[in-house]
Amino acid sequence: MTSLQTDTSERFRHIIRTLTGISLPASKAPMIEQRLRKRMVMWQLPDVNSYLQALVNGQLPEDELRQVIDLITTNTTSFFREKEHFDFLRSHIVPELIANAGVKKARMKVWSAASSEGAEAYTIAMVLSEACRTGVRFDWGVLGTDISRRMIKKATIGVYDEEQISTVAPDLARRYIMTAQTPRMDGKVRIVPELRQRVRFRHMNLIDLSYPVDRDVSVIFLRNILIYFDAPDKAAVVQRLADHLQIGGYLIVGHAESMVVRCDSLEQVKPTIFKKIAR
């Protein structure tokens, strides 16, 4: 494997950092090379260095950079990942929302702010749907956003490999997941239409200065993405997200990120869970 040239690699990493907020240290060079090798072959270039030089010098079509961002961004996800967050949503946040609504019908908006291929958003939807099945009545919807258009397309379709749903409880799987009935889809499953109708997915970049999202969101899940940003971007993203929470709404981050949440309007209620308070 050819080592990436330092100057070209630095220019490339600077572009990715500027466009996405994701910091790629020099130690990530082998990962970059591995993920971009298919694009190098597609453009019939002799090595990844040649490909990156063509990319940073603007010698490839403008759409090529979007393809690269899709390949570079990490899309690790699973259903009911960090299960305690979903337990807190079910046992604490939903009852609190219902109580605060009083005589009005409660409306819950939940945003999966780095939704990847959709497992987190659909897990949230399962939890909220189950809450309604217990007799608690409230309206709800889930928004999933991600920088990867490829992941947004996959999430919207809602098709997964069977092994990906191994963390879904059997009773939930029976209600919310369909098994493929055609040979060409063997080994695949799909989220039921009733759940997919409640979940919307949209392309969005967290590094943008404004977000096309409502400002009365009940809960925002922002898990395992801040770790890729530098300190100023972490603070800016958290502040922008907090601005989209209703008073009393919650921000939930990953276990490696709780120490980086610094925002005057957010009060920590658990190690990874923050509540928006009036100031």
Side-chain angles (χ1 to χ4, degrees), residues 193-205:
E194 296 80 6
L195 217 59
R196 297 201 311 272
Q197 291 166 5
R198 292 273 194 165
V199 184
R200 296 179 296 116
F201 292 97
R202 179 189 303 165
H203 172 261
M204 202 193 77
N205 190 345

Side-chain angles (χ1 to χ4, degrees), residues 4 8 125 142 156 201 211 217 224 233 275:
L4 297 183
T8 302
V142 180
T156 301
F201 292 97
Y211 304 148
V217 178
N224 307 304
D233 284 337
K275 187 175 184 178

Side-chain angles (χ1 to χ4, degrees), residues 55-212:
L55 183 71
V56 301
N57 291 330
Q59 297 169 340
L60 297 176
E62 185 176 339
D63 184 63
E64 183 66 14
L65 192 54
R66 178 172 67 83
Q67 301 287 341
V68 169
I69 289 172
D70 271 1
L71 290 172
I72 290 298
T73 50
T74 300
N75 294 301
T76 301
T77 182
S78 60
F79 288 88
F80 288 93
R81 184 183 185 188
E82 298 181 15
K83 183 176 178 293
E84 60 271 24
H85 291 155
F86 302 105
D87 291 340
F88 187 83
L89 174 64
R90 172 187 53 80
S91 65
H92 186 90
I93 298 178
V94 170
E96 183 179 281
L97 175 81
I98 301 300
N100 290 343
V103 296
K104 299 185 297 183
K105 185 176 183 180
R107 165 70 174 167
M108 191 167 207
K109 300 178 182 179
V110 184
W111 178 10
S112 171
S115 58
S116 186
E117 61 182 358
E120 179 178 85
Y122 287 126
T123 299
I124 294 166
M126 290 180 197
V127 172
L128 299 181
S129 180
E130 284 296 288
C132 288
R133 289 185 76 253
T134 64
V136 179
R137 290 289 173 256
F138 63 98
D139 194 13
W140 61 272
V142 180
L143 171 66
T145 62
D146 200 85
I147 193 172
S148 171
R149 297 179 188 275
R150 178 172 56 93
M151 288 295 103
I152 290 297
K153 181 177 180 180
K154 180 175 176 58
T156 301
I157 295 171
V159 173
Y160 300 92
D161 294 331
E162 282 185 342
E163 56 265 28
Q164 289 180 271
I165 65 163
S166 61
T167 51
V168 179
D171 58 329
L172 298 183
R174 284 191 295 271
R175 280 192 284 277
Y176 300 117
I177 297 173
M178 304 181 297
T179 302
Q181 300 298 316
T182 59
R184 69 181 182 86
M185 294 294 287
D186 190 40
K188 301 287 186 180
V189 297
R190 192 177 191 188
I191 304 298
V192 297
E194 296 80 6
L195 217 59
R196 297 201 311 272
Q197 291 166 5
R198 292 273 194 165
V199 184
R200 296 179 296 116
F201 292 97
R202 179 189 303 165
H203 172 261
M204 202 193 77
N205 190 345
L206 287 170
I207 211 66
D208 289 345
L209 297 180
S210 63
Y211 304 148

